[in-house]
Amino acid sequence: QVQLVESGGGLAQIGDSLTLSCAATGGQFDMYALGWVRRTPGKERESIAAITWDGATTFYAESVEGRFTISRDNAKNTLYLQMNNLKPEDTGVYYCAARDGLAGLRKNYEYWGQGTQVTVAQ
């Protein structure tokens, strides 16, 4: 069973960049498809980025495509989300998640981190 811990959230200004990290322990990291899911105020959870076990294929929600980049380093058991050109609507709690199966923009992950808050000031 894999445990996930996010870090890197915080307060940003419009147009700023932030990088989120998700460190994994336990389990075999490179067997999992991974993703980032966020919960923004007044909205349901949104799967915004996903990546295959080998990092070869990535998926993005329309709301973040072209601004966010998901990546992973299997040697370091770490998942990343590079967020550029942040907007107020990116404010929310960001969760990393893992599943033993196909990658894609889904919310039915098996394992979840505790979340990290990202706030983009107006």
Side-chain angles (χ1 to χ4, degrees), residues 81-97:
L81 184 68
Q82 173 68 42
M83 305 186 295
N84 297 328
N85 191 22
L86 284 164
K87 303 177 180 181
E89 52 263 42
D90 295 320
T91 294
V93 180
Y94 286 69
Y95 301 89
C96 68

Side-chain angles (χ1 to χ4, degrees), residues 11 14 22 37 46 58 72 86 94-95 98-99 111 117 121:
L11 178 64
I14 295 173
C22 175
V37 178
E46 178 186 17
T58 56
R72 65 190 294 166
L86 284 164
Y94 286 69
Y95 301 89
R99 68 188 308 271
Y111 306 103
Q117 175 71 43

Side-chain angles (χ1 to χ4, degrees), residues 20-31:
L20 305 184
S21 299
C22 175
T25 57
Q28 186 173 341
F29 183 75
D30 61 4
M31 72 177 287

Side-chain angles (χ1 to χ4, degrees), residues 63-117:
S63 57
V64 305
E65 181 137 32
R67 299 188 298 123
F68 290 9
T69 302
I70 187 172
S71 62
R72 65 190 294 166
D73 186 336
N74 286 344
K76 295 182 178 179
N77 289 358
T78 303
L79 174 71
Y80 303 98
L81 184 68
Q82 173 68 42
M83 305 186 295
N84 297 328
N85 191 22
L86 284 164
K87 303 177 180 181
E89 52 263 42
D90 295 320
T91 294
V93 180
Y94 286 69
Y95 301 89
C96 68
R99 68 188 308 271
D100 181 9
L102 295 176
L105 293 179
R106 59 188 75 229
K107 292 178 280 189
N108 60 336
Y109 287 95
E110 297 167 74
Y111 306 103
W112 294 81
Q114 83 289 348
T116 186
Q117 175 71 43

Side-chain angles (χ1 to χ4, degrees), residues 4 15-16 32 53 56 86 88 93 101 106:
L4 305 170
D16 279 356
Y32 293 106
W53 67 273
L86 284 164
V93 180
R106 59 188 75 229

